């Protein structure tokens, strides 16, 4: 078995794959890809991932891309301990939560991240560095977004819409967790390790009050239990200087 992960410390999609690897107890080689230095646009990385995104898992020399696909692959190839529920109905529920993350949380968190976290870093990049990135990046829309936030703010209505969608998601999470311990039922699953990095990012984006016990007690309890799992220290804290998003508020 030869597992290597090309990832970025702060990437939520990288975090969810690292959580899966650690929940499985798998040995894996770490290959950092610094997105803020545009290492994802280097030819050697684009040869592994033509989209220029992280993470990419390489298993016995074969690349697997897209974090949701990677996690399903890992649970297929390394079935113990299982990270998908045994029943078909619970598995369907798990996949609905993961689809909600892919379709709603990822783009919404992404927009807020560009405005609040990436913008200050892009201001430190020279015009030449930005031009080189835009020429090399395979995703023209994403490349233009890097340039845009360097010089301007994203429209206020776009950011409000992103926050509104995330609040709606938090309400759905709270309602589900009020009646069961984990998102897909009685057992921790791929759905749980998928959502935890996004909730950590919401804290970093200034939305931590929405996750507090006073606001959403079931979700707050789920966050606490998820962060207490040994995988969290190995997959997240280890790459964040040992501090959780909650501790950095």
């Amino acid at each position: 078995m030869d597992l290597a992960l090309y990832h970025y410390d702060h990437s939520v999609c990288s975090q969810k794959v690292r959580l899966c690897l650690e929940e499985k107890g798998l040995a894996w080689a770490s290959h950092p890809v610094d997105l803020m230095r545009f290492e994802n646009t280097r030819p050697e990385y684009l040869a592994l991932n033509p989209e220029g995104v992280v993470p990419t898992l390489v298993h016995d020399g074969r690349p697997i891309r897209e974090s949701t696909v990677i996690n399903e692959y890992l649970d297929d190839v390394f079935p113990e301990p299982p990270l998908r529920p045994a029943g078909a109905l619970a598995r369907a529920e798990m996949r609905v939560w993961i689809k909600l993350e892919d379709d709603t949380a990822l783009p919404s968190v992404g927009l807020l991240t560009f405005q609040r976290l990436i913008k200050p870093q892009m201001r430190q990049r020279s015009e030449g560095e930005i031009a080189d990135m835009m020429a090399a990046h395979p995703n023209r829309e994403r490349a233009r977004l890097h340039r845009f936030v360097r010089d301007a703010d994203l429209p206020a209505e776009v950011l409000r819409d992103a926050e509104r969608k995330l609040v709606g998601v938090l309400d759905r999470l709270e309602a589900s967790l009020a009646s069961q311990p984990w998102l897909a039922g009685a057992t921790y699953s791929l759905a749980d390790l998928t959502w935890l990095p996004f909730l950590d990012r919401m804290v970093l984006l200034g939305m931590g009050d929405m996750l507090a016990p006073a606001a959403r007690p079931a979700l707050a309890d789920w966050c606490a239990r998820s962060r207490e799992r040994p995988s969290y220290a190995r997959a997240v804290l280890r790459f964040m200087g040992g501090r959780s998003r909650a501790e950095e508020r």
Side-chain angles (χ1 to χ4, degrees):
M1 178 191 72
D2 184 13
L3 286 171
L5 186 69
Y6 292 77
H7 62 112
Y8 179 51
D9 288 358
H10 302 280
S11 155
V12 288
C13 291
S14 295
Q15 288 171 3
K16 79 184 199 185
V17 172
R18 295 198 305 258
L19 281 166
C20 186
L21 287 163
E22 295 298 341
E23 285 285 340
K24 292 284 182 184
L26 297 170
W28 54 282
S30 173
H31 294 277
V33 179
D34 192 337
L35 302 185
M36 295 302 101
R37 296 183 180 275
F38 309 131
E39 291 178 358
N40 55 309
T41 66
R42 292 179 178 176
E44 58 270 28
Y45 185 69
L46 292 176
L48 288 175
N49 192 317
E51 297 298 317
V53 296
V54 292
T56 300
L57 180 75
V58 177
H59 182 207
D60 291 337
R62 299 290 297 272
I64 301 98
R65 309 174 188 98
E66 298 296 330
S67 57
T68 292
V69 175
I70 292 170
N71 282 355
E72 291 254 3
Y73 174 85
L74 288 169
D75 207 48
D76 284 335
V77 178
F78 307 100
E80 296 298 331
L83 287 172
R84 287 176 288 192
L89 189 60
R91 286 196 179 199
E93 186 175 8
M94 178 201 77
R95 291 190 177 101
V96 167
W97 283 116
I98 294 172
K99 180 173 172 56
L100 182 63
E101 174 269 309
D102 283 340
D103 293 351
T104 302
L106 182 57
S108 297
V109 161
L111 287 169
L112 293 167
T113 296
F114 264 95
Q115 176 64 32
R116 299 176 186 177
L117 302 181
I118 294 179
K119 179 183 179 70
Q121 299 195 53
M122 289 303 101
R123 283 181 167 173
Q124 300 174 23
R125 299 288 173 261
S126 70
E127 183 61 33
E129 288 175 308
I130 295 291
D132 289 345
M133 177 274 295
M134 293 190 70
H137 205 301
N139 187 322
R140 298 303 180 208
E141 181 179 350
R142 195 165 185 85
R144 285 193 294 269
L145 189 55
H146 280 86
R147 177 186 282 279
F148 183 89
V149 298
R150 177 175 178 261
D151 301 317
D153 291 329
L154 290 172
E157 62 271 20
V158 170
L159 299 174
R160 282 195 297 268
D161 184 61
E163 286 201 14
R164 178 186 59 78
K165 289 176 179 176
L166 290 173
V167 169
V169 164
L170 296 180
D171 288 341
R172 290 179 63 175
L173 290 165
E174 174 68 17
S176 177
L177 292 165
S179 62
Q180 57 189 20
W182 303 107
L183 288 175
T187 60
Y188 184 89
S189 75
L190 294 178
D192 300 288
L193 62 81
T194 289
W195 271 98
L196 185 59
F198 284 88
L199 299 185
D200 276 359
R201 176 60 58 85
M202 289 181 208
V203 173
L204 190 60
L205 290 169
M207 304 175 73
D209 288 348
M210 299 179 186
L211 305 173
R216 293 177 175 86
L219 184 55
D221 177 70
W222 174 90
C223 286
R225 287 184 287 109
S226 296
R227 291 178 183 130
E228 288 170 357
R229 297 177 72 88
S231 62
Y232 186 72
R234 296 193 296 262
V236 179
L237 298 186
R238 175 160 74 99
F239 297 92
M240 298 293 182
R243 293 174 62 83
S244 72
R245 300 296 81 170
E247 291 173 326
E248 292 180 357
R249 287 182 60 195

